[in-house]
């Protein structure tokens, strides 16, 4: 467990955290909607399948690959980590950190820093030699975060709209 200078703790999520994680997850999707057109937050919407989201969150909790940040028992942030797709082919393991979300009222107090640092530790404990993550190019806040944590650009993802 990592403790920040504020009374905030970061730990591996349990199923007791499920409902607050799911609420945070929908806020994360709503927030990222302006950055990725696939992230509809309408539970009846055509882009996001609510049941798949729930199964995903459940699987991450079951695998011990979801972290929660709490302040006095209130959930203020989440993130996930998982092995990348090359794990079956390579002897060197690379894991991915994703879904970093901090509630707006808890930002700029080191919560994401604590979540990412704890994720790095959890990945290393599971055999990772390196961690990677993806940031939307327009996400200045997240770019600022990862630069502050020493992350370097290692690849570019290019996209082209096929339905202009
Ligand atoms: C990006 C995000 C996770 C940062 O969370 P946070 O808890 O506020 O981050 P921290 O307090 O640990 O910030 C650490 C450093 O990151 C940088 N940073 C964080 N927010 C920033 C911002 N809005 N603008 C510029 N730099 C920022 C700063 O260098 C900061 O250090 P400082 O506060 O001493 O200047 C949060 O804004 C968020 O949840 N955004 C919406 C979801 C999202 O974009 N997630 C990332 C997906 S890849």
């Amino acid at each position: 467990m990592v403790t920040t200078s504020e009374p905030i703790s970061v730990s591996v999520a349990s199923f007791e955290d499920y409902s607050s994680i799911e609420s945070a997850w929908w806020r994360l999707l709503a927030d990222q909607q302006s950055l990725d057109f696939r992230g509809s937050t309408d539970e009846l919407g055509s882009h996001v399948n609510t049941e798949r989201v729930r199964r995903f969150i459940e699987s991450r909790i079951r695998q011990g690959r979801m972290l929660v940040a709490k302040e006095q028992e209130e959930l203020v942030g989440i993130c996930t980590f998982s092995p990348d797709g090359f794990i079956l082919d390579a002897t060197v393991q690379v894991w991915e950190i994703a879904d970093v979300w901090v509630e707006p009222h808890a930002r700029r107090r080191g919560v994401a820093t604590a979540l990412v640092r704890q994720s790095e530790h959890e990945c290393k404990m599971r055999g990772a030699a390196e961690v990677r993550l993806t940031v939307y190019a327009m996400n200045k806040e997240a770019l600022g975060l990862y630069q502050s944590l020493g992350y370097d650009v290692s690849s570019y993802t290019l996209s082209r709209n096929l339905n202009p």
Side-chain angles (χ1 to χ4, degrees):
M1 181 183 286
V2 166
T3 305
T4 63
S5 55
E6 302 288 336
I8 288 168
S9 63
V10 172
S11 57
V12 177
S14 75
F15 278 101
E16 285 179 6
D17 303 312
Y18 181 88
S19 64
S20 43
I21 290 172
E22 190 186 330
S23 303
W25 195 275
W26 294 118
R27 287 192 288 280
L28 166 62
L29 274 186
D31 181 84
Q32 301 284 292
Q33 225 174 344
S34 62
L35 302 168
D36 193 325
F37 70 94
R38 297 170 297 179
S40 168
T41 56
D42 179 355
E43 295 210 1
L44 299 174
S46 57
H47 294 144
V48 172
N49 180 318
T50 305
E51 278 312 308
R52 284 185 63 188
V53 166
R54 289 180 178 152
R55 282 201 299 275
F56 174 79
I57 295 171
E58 282 170 14
S59 73
R60 283 289 180 272
I61 296 174
R62 194 176 311 108
Q63 293 161 333
R65 296 176 185 167
M66 168 85 70
L67 295 183
V68 286
K70 291 182 186 172
E71 182 174 38
Q72 294 173 349
E73 302 304 312
E74 179 202 357
L75 186 140
V76 291
I78 58 173
C79 81
T80 66
F81 53 89
S82 56
D84 87 343
F86 279 95
I87 193 168
L88 295 178
D89 308 325
T91 53
V92 177
Q93 290 188 32
V94 173
W95 283 52
E96 290 176 345
I97 296 172
D99 313 313
V100 180
W101 166 256
V102 175
E103 297 295 346
H105 72 270
R107 290 180 187 172
R108 300 308 286 264
R109 290 164 51 202
V111 177
T113 297
L115 282 165
V116 173
R117 289 300 189 221
Q118 183 69 17
S119 295
E120 292 169 350
H121 174 74
E122 299 288 340
C123 292
K124 192 171 179 182
M125 290 300 101
R126 290 161 175 76
E130 181 178 301
V131 287
R132 297 184 189 179
L133 47 83
T134 301
V135 188
Y136 295 114
M138 300 291 285
N139 193 344
K140 303 291 179 229
E141 296 82 5
L143 283 168
L145 167 70
Y146 299 125
Q147 279 163 4
S148 81
L149 294 176
Y151 282 71
D152 295 319
V153 176
S154 60
S155 65
Y156 293 102
T157 299
L158 307 185
S159 61
R160 193 167 80 84
N161 185 355
L162 297 181
N163 296 303

